[in-house]
């Protein structure tokens, strides 16, 4: 579970991480203010099967950089789940 970008609101990410942990999953929460590179490095180091991204306050474009970083590392099989505020007409800037 990662919080990329500058947003400091992580209550939702913590609630989801705790629920997954309580359901028996191993959960690694990276904390706030992660760069896409830091997120990808954590996924690689922890050999994660899935990545949850919590994106608020316009940080949705960070998702593209994370997915591109995963692809560059050959991690196309990692499931990425995104939640938060994501405009319906998201486009690359």
């Amino acid at each position: 579970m990662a919080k990329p970008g500058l947003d400091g609101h992580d209550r939702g990410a913590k609630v989801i991480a705790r629920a997954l942990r309580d359901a028996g999953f191993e959960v690694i929460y990276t904390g706030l203010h992660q760069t896409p590179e830091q997120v990808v490095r954590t996924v690689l180091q922890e050999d994660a099967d899935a990545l949850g991204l919590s994106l608020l306050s316009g940080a949705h474009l960070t998702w593209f950089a994370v997915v591109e970083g995963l692809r560059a590392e050959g991690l196309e099989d990692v499931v990425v789940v995104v939640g938060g505020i994501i405009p319906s007409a998201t486009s690359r800037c």
Side-chain angles (χ1 to χ4, degrees):
M1 182 74 63
K3 281 289 298 176
L6 299 175
D7 176 52
H9 299 93
D10 65 346
R11 183 169 306 233
K14 287 180 177 178
V15 168
I16 297 298
R18 188 170 296 122
L20 289 169
R21 182 202 64 199
D22 291 349
F25 290 90
E26 178 182 357
V27 178
I28 297 150
Y29 175 55
T30 63
L32 296 170
H33 312 301
Q34 299 293 298
T35 66
E37 294 80 15
Q38 289 172 313
V39 173
V40 171
R41 185 170 51 246
T42 300
V43 170
L44 187 60
Q45 289 173 345
E46 299 295 336
D47 193 27
D49 297 315
L51 169 63
L53 295 174
S54 175
L55 307 169
L56 298 169
S57 69
H60 60 279
L61 296 177
T62 307
W63 175 76
F64 294 111
V66 171
V67 171
E68 288 173 356
L70 292 172
R71 286 182 185 153
E73 292 292 338
L75 300 171
E76 295 91 354
D77 60 332
V78 173
V79 174
V80 179
V81 179
V82 181
I85 300 171
I86 304 167
S88 60
T90 299
S91 64
R92 297 190 68 129
C93 294

